[in-house]
């Protein structure tokens, strides 16, 4: 955690006050159990839909809809998965989604960290104006630019193609904000000065000093961008006019529209679509939760 | 405290991160071109570094926004394309002002916003305070509560659609098992909004809790110690210290939630969008879950009415702006107090 935890008996702050000395320890312990109890109710609520989707995906639709319904995982997973594969081009959609997410992430990291480094550490004419413009347009809601973006894609002949998903996503103002903020505090000026004295130009300072020191910030932006690209629905829905080229999200929605009565099969598809991102998140959660979001309030 | 977080939802654009630029009092390194004399050469790489981003930004954000404003004064011809569109002045806006369906979409969006934002944020504060108060399992809780937020909205909506399915869904089965009557979750106008709000709550509560938690951990411990010496109990400390000091984070999360919730699209689209073929204005039975952005999408991309779609987009922007300003106003009133 970037933020230090507060000192105090039981390490508590916020709600639970330090227990007065004369209070018997049993009461204090009971009181410290109460938050755990409430939090576990919340954890169950947060995780239950995942469990339920596993139950549905491993049973047949008839089993789920029987009374009383089946509450434990069944044995029909393979059958449901096979049904998904028969109905949609799952691996095609998976490959498209992965390709778009990876390419977008790599390009966003490069372009945004370059621009952010310039904004964070260099003074140049037009700096304020450009950054102000970024800020202003960033506040406008997405749908203000959706129609023209679509018309531009049609003009370029890109509708129905994957580059239509990648290229507009690169105009990611959030990444520049985030990296500028991160680099302005984490990249030491002394090292940059030293690098400059050694004859390093802008790009070598960026690559050899800024990128290595800002790695945690970049890691957060990478996960953020990847998850956003993986889960994006609105824009692929608009621009992927070719039924042959779809992402996981759009083909999942299509699966639901066409075969929504087969809940088990739809759930198997939904589960398969979220598993890669869940695994990635669990591996990288240290960055995402601790450094990323907690770094929010400094 | 300066908020610098991305608070964005994966998959949603996040205007709130504008706070990220609020870094104050930082040292700024100067290139000092005047002293070296070779200003053009030194600044060249800097402009080269920002150029790719700004070219893309110009083409895919700046131009589209201006273009969208222009479109909202046009009658777009599907057959003739942009060249054949004709200037109609304020006609799209006049129509928008009288459009009962858009009014219904505004009301729906506002109801979903109220149902899906305030209980969620209140719960998030309580959860954060509890995570903050425990010593063990902190990281586990953070992870578990955050997990719903990285799941795709489409998949989540499908999960909840099955849970709330009227005849056989688990929720109604449980209700009937308890001797109550099932709720027509996906056909009753109020229940439909409730389902969308529950979905939003489920996906965003943990995310906001983690933001609050970070804010709480930034509050110095001696403030609480002093309060405890003065005899303030845990509840009193929460109301008199934690909540006031969390004000900036609370304002931030309220603004973000307002912006994103008022622009709800995917949940009603996946739950109720399948019958758009029958009725292009549909947002489920009785248009009970037709949100502003869903209506925008249907007018623009199902009806190919780009001129009117652009006007709706401006209308959505205006509504969102009004409520964000109200948020800030309320926050300032709190300051005076």
């Amino acid at each position: 955690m970037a933020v230090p935890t507060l000192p105090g008996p039981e390490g508590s702050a916020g709600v639970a006050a330090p227990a007065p000395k004369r209070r018997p320890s049993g009461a204090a312990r009971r009181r410290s159990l109460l938050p755990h109890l409430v939090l576990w109710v919340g954890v169950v609520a947060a995780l239950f839909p995942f469990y339920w989707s596993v139950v549905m995906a491993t049973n047949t639709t008839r089993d789920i809809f029987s009374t009383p319904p089946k509450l434990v995982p069944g044995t029909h997973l393979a059958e449901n998965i096979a049904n998904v594969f028969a109905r949609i081009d799952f691996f095609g959609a998976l490959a498209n989604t992965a390709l778009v997410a990876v390419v977008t992430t790599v390009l966003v990291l490069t372009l945004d960290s370059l621009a952010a480094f310039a904004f964070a550490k260099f003074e140049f004419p037009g700096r304020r104006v450009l950054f102000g413009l970024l800020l202003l347009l960033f506040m406008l809601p997405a749908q203000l630019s959706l129609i023209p973006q679509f018309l531009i894609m049609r003009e370029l002949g890109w509708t129905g193609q994957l580059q239509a998903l990648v290229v507009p996503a690169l105009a990611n103002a959030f990444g520049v904000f985030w990296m500028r903020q991160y680099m302005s505090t984490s990249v030491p000026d002394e090292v940059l000065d030293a690098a400059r004295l050694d004859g390093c130009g802008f790009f070598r300072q960026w690559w050899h000093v800024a990128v290595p020191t800002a790695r945690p910030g970049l890691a957060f932006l990478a996960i953020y961008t990847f998850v956003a690209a993986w889960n994006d629905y609105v824009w692929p829905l608009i621009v992927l006019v070719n039924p042959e080229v779809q992402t996981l999200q759009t083909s999942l929605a299509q699966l639901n529209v066409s075969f929504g009565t087969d809940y088990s099969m739809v759930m198997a598809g939904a589960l398969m679509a979220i598993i890669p991102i869940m695994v990635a998140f669990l591996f990288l959660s240290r960055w995402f939760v601790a450094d990323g979001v907690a770094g929010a309030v400094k | 405290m300066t908020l610098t977080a991305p608070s964005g939802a994966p998959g949603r654009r996040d205007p709130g991160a504008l706070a990220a630029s609020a870094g104050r009092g930082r040292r700024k390194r100067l290139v000092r071109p005047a002293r070296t004399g070779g200003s053009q050469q030194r600044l060249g790489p800097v402009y080269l570094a920002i150029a790719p981003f700004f070219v893309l930004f110009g083409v895919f954000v700046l131009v589209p926004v201006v273009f969208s404003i222009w479109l909202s004064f046009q009658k777009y011809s599907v057959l003739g394309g942009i060249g054949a569109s004709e200037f109609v002045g304020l006609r799209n806006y006049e129509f928008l002002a009288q459009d009962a369906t858009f009014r219904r979409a505004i009301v729906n969006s506002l109801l979903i916003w109220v149902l899906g934002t305030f209980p969620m944020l209140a719960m998030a504060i309580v959860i954060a305070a509890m995570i903050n108060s425990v010593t063990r399992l902190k990281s586990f809780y953070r992870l578990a509560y955050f997990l719903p937020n990285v799941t795709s909205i489409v998949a989540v909506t499908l999960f909840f659609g099955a849970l709330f399915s009227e005849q056989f869904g688990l929720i109604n089965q449980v209700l009937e098992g308890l001797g109550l009557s099932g709720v027509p979750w996906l056909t009753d106008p109020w229940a439909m909004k409730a389902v969308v709000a529950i979905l939003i709550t489920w996906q965003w509560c943990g995310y906001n809790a983690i933001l609050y938690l970070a804010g709480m951990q930034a509050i110095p411990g001696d403030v609480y110690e002093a309060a405890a010496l003065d005899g303030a109990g845990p509840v009193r400390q929460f109301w008199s210290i934690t909540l006031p000091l969390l004000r900036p984070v609370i304002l931030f999360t309220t603004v973000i939630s307002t912006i994103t919730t008022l622009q709800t699209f995917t949940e009603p689209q996946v739950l109720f969008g399948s019958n758009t073929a029958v009725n292009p204005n549909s947002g489920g039975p009785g248009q009970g879950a037709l949100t502003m952005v869903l209506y925008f999408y249907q007018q623009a991309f199902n009806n190919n009415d780009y001129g009117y779609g652009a006007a709706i987009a401006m209308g959505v922007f205006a509504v969102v702006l009004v409520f964000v300003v109200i948020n800030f106003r309320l926050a300032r009133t709190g300051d005076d107090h």
Side-chain angles (χ1 to χ4, degrees), chain A residues 202-283:
Chain A
F202 177 90
F203 287 97
R204 284 176 68 193
Q205 288 177 41
W206 169 72
W207 182 247
H208 292 293
V209 183
V211 169
T213 34
R215 202 169 283 160
L218 284 168
F220 174 77
L221 181 61
I223 301 164
Y224 176 86
T225 311
F226 190 85
V227 171
W230 189 281
N231 289 340
D232 192 14
Y233 176 63
V234 183
W235 181 239
L237 182 70
I238 291 168
V239 86
L240 292 184
V241 293
N242 175 1
E244 304 292 306
V245 182
Q246 295 293 317
T247 64
L248 280 177
Q249 309 309 328
T250 55
S251 47
L252 207 54
Q254 197 50 50
L255 195 65
N256 183 48
V257 169
S258 311
F259 308 98
T261 47
D262 192 349
Y263 278 84
S264 297
M265 190 261 294
V266 172
M267 285 308 129
L271 211 51
M272 286 193 290
I274 64 166
I275 280 172
I277 206 86
M278 288 288 163
V279 171
F281 171 72
L282 289 175
F283 268 106

Side-chain angles (χ1 to χ4, degrees), chain B residues 298-329:
Chain B
Q298 289 171 345
Q299 289 301 315
F301 297 106
N302 289 348
N303 284 0
N304 296 316
D305 194 343
Y306 298 130
Y308 192 48
I312 296 175
M314 298 294 285
V316 177
F317 175 50
V319 172
V320 174
L321 196 65
V322 164
F323 282 89
V324 169
V325 168
I326 290 176
N327 276 342
F328 276 105
R329 271 288 164 88

Side-chain angles (χ1 to χ4, degrees), chain B residues 23-46:
Chain B
R24 271 165 274 159
R26 281 177 300 99
R27 283 206 295 152
K28 202 150 291 146
R29 215 168 78 102
L30 302 177
V31 170
R32 293 191 198 91
R35 207 173 50 182
T36 59
S39 67
Q40 288 309 310
Q41 268 182 330
R42 289 210 159 234
L43 286 176
V46 177

Side-chain angles (χ1 to χ4, degrees), chain A residues 6 10 15 36 39 45-46 65 121-122 125 138 143-144 149 154 174 181 193 220 231 233 249 278 288 296-297, chain B residues 1 4-6 14 20 29 31 47 60 68 76 135 141 145-146 150-152 168 202 219 234 263 269 316:
Chain A
L6 296 165
E10 309 168 9
V15 166
H36 281 291
L39 285 170
F65 286 165
K121 296 291 178 182
F122 293 86
F138 194 41
Q143 63 273 4
L144 267 189
Q149 280 182 349
R154 212 170 56 179
F174 161 70
Q181 189 71 9
D193 287 334
F220 174 77
N231 289 340
Y233 176 63
Q249 309 309 328
M278 288 288 163
F288 202 81
V297 189
Chain B
M1 253 186 291
T4 61
D14 175 18
R29 215 168 78 102
V31 170
Y47 285 118
F60 293 108
S68 216
Y76 183 87
T135 35
Y141 287 135
Y145 280 102
F146 204 81
V150 292
T151 319
S152 89
F168 303 107
W202 183 77
I219 300 174
Q263 296 182 55
Q269 203 273 342
V316 177

